[in-house]
Every structure is written in C-alpha cells, then in structure tokens.
Amino acid sequence: MIKISDWYKDFADVTFPTVFVRLTDAEKEALVNNSEGEAKDRLWNRLTNALNSIHGGAVINADCCAPTDSKAFCRRRIVHTPISSWKQLTTSEKVISALKSGETDTLALRPYRRMDRSREFRLFVKNGELIAASQYDLKKNYPRLAKRQDEIWSALNAFFADSVKPFLSFTDVVIDVYMCGNGQFLLVDFNDWGGETAPLLLRSWDQNIEEFLQSRHPLMLLAAPVKMSGDVSVSF
C-alpha cells in the first residue's frame, strides 16, 4: 500500500496541494470508536485549522485510503467542516481498519476540484519505464480522446520523462494522473502494481504484458459501441 506521504514531497509541484494531519493515539482511538471527549474536541480544532487553509472546500482521506465506502462520502464528497469530515471518516470501514491496523496515523486533506472524468488516466510503469496507459472511466467511450490518442500519449510520455521519472523511487507502480484544460498533468495517486489495484483496460495482471500490448495502442481507450445493422431479430 502506497501512502500519499510516501511520494508527496518528491512531487508536490505536480500534484494537488495537500495538508497532512498526524493523529495522536488518543485522536485515533476517538475516530475508531466515534467517541466524544477531549481527543475529539482537539482533533476538531486541528481539522478546522487545516480546512481554513484550503480555499473552497476539501476532500479528506486517511493517508493510505479514501473513505469511498462511507455513505456520507457517497452523498457529498466535499467537506467544509470538522463535522462533515468526522462523518466521512468514522463511517468508512476502510479508514477505520487502516487506523486500527496501524497502516496509517495520518489524515490528508486536498482542495476539492470538479474533475472531468474523460481527463483521468492510469499509467502503468514497469521497471521504471512508462509502458502503457488507460483511460480511467470505463463507463463511457469518449470520441474526442480517440481523435487525440497519439497526441495525448506523447504528452503523457513527456510528462513522465520530465516530471516523474527523475524522482521516481518505485520500480513497478501504477500512477493516476489528471489532464488539465491547459494540457498540463497533475498526479492524483500512486498505487501498487497488481493486488487490489484495478488494471482497467490492461485487463489482467496475470498475463504476458508485453505480448498483450503488441497489438494495442499504448494509450488504451474504450472502444466505440458497434452499431448493428440489417435484420438483428432473434428467434427462440
């Protein structure tokens, strides 16, 4: 599991500004047990200070995972107050499990941004080299991406070579990036190669990756739906 704090200092200039809040043992216990008391009050004050330093609302994560399984998160991802932050964190089994197991003792807050899902990509890095990328949203075909496939792949390669590779401390890693309207890229997250990380259009970790990529464009995009024509009725 790769934490935000594992890579942030090396890539702060090409990612979203992040505020880290390290928890005391008492504050962790208050979160895990969703309990009242001095530790909760102290953490709420600290969260207030952190949120005040982020303009326009924030997203809050444990350093190693987001509370995506929280009903509060699903209803409204953006947080403005310690109340909404607390609800997301304490109702996330992922966050509570990470705190209980000692996987993390830190919260991470980032500015909330409305993101165009067609601009999100997952990069696949093997032996320190960028070998392929996939569109992140697999629910929709984006024709405009197909028109710019070569251009975007070239830009991803340039971004990786100039801004990522010189400081990369991981050999095999999966990197999520966002393409801004001006064509620049921002790092979103680093993930383990394999395991629980979704391979998206790479399809599977358990295959000969080089062979799989031989017949595909290195920037893998969801194919356009096939239009049926003629008599497509079926008799049973």
Side-chain angles (χ1 to χ4, degrees):
M1 181 176 294
I2 301 175
K3 303 175 185 177
I4 298 174
S5 58
D6 289 338
W7 56 267
Y8 181 79
K9 67 181 178 63
D10 292 325
F11 299 104
D13 59 316
V14 287
T15 190
F16 301 96
T18 305
V19 177
F20 295 98
V21 177
R22 186 175 179 184
L23 304 171
T24 65
D25 289 341
E27 289 168 344
K28 280 200 301 182
E29 185 176 347
L31 275 171
V32 167
N33 297 317
N34 193 11
S35 59
E36 303 292 330
E38 182 181 343
K40 177 181 177 180
D41 294 342
R42 183 171 58 249
L43 180 54
W44 276 36
N45 287 332
R46 299 180 68 201
L47 288 175
T48 298
N49 292 336
L51 289 163
N52 285 341
S53 70
I54 299 174
H55 177 71
V59 291
I60 188 167
N61 300 341
D63 191 17
C64 62
C65 62
T68 52
D69 57 334
S70 163
K71 290 183 179 179
F73 178 94
C74 295
R75 285 195 298 268
R76 186 170 173 80
R77 185 181 180 189
I78 187 173
V79 297
H80 293 93
T81 66
I83 299 173
S84 54
S85 303
W86 186 268
K87 285 182 179 179
Q88 286 193 14
L89 297 171
T90 57
T91 58
S92 168
E93 291 185 10
K94 290 197 305 180
V95 170
I96 298 305
S97 176
L99 293 172
K100 278 184 175 179
S101 65
E103 290 177 87
T104 185
D105 62 357
T106 302
L107 304 178
L109 295 90
R110 291 172 150 186
Y112 173 79
R113 295 287 184 269
R114 293 186 181 277
M115 297 173 70
D116 181 345
R117 294 184 64 83
S118 70
R119 295 178 179 273
E120 297 178 84
F121 300 94
R122 174 156 284 182
L123 310 186
F124 301 98
V125 178
K126 193 72 174 174
N127 297 321
E129 299 293 338
L130 177 61
I131 61 170
S134 168
Q135 74 177 71
Y136 193 88
D137 178 22
L138 300 188
K139 295 180 180 179
K140 186 178 179 181
N141 162 258
Y142 297 100
R144 62 182 180 274
L145 292 183
K147 292 178 181 178
R148 300 179 57 198
Q149 194 170 18
D150 290 336
E151 175 191 343
I152 295 172
W153 174 244
S154 178
L156 285 169
N157 268 281
F159 171 71
F160 179 81
D162 295 340
S163 301
V164 180
K165 188 175 180 180
F167 310 103
L168 190 64
S169 58
F170 306 101
T171 302
D172 300 336
V173 70
V174 177
I175 306 173
D176 295 335
V177 303
Y178 184 75
M179 183 173 65
C180 302
N182 61 5
Q184 295 181 337
F185 291 95
L186 290 175
L187 296 173
V188 177
D189 204 5
F190 283 66
N191 305 277
D192 293 317
W193 179 282
E196 297 182 2
T197 303
L200 301 184
L201 291 176
L202 195 61
R203 297 187 183 177
S204 172
W205 303 114
D206 300 324
Q207 63 171 319
N208 186 317
I209 302 293
E210 291 184 3
E211 183 177 315
F212 177 81
L213 293 173
Q214 280 180 355
S215 58
R216 291 169 173 80
H217 194 287
L219 173 55
M220 296 171 285
L221 304 175
L222 199 64
V226 177
K227 293 183 179 180
M228 304 295 289
S229 61
D231 185 2
V232 294
S233 60
V234 179
S235 298
F236 293 94

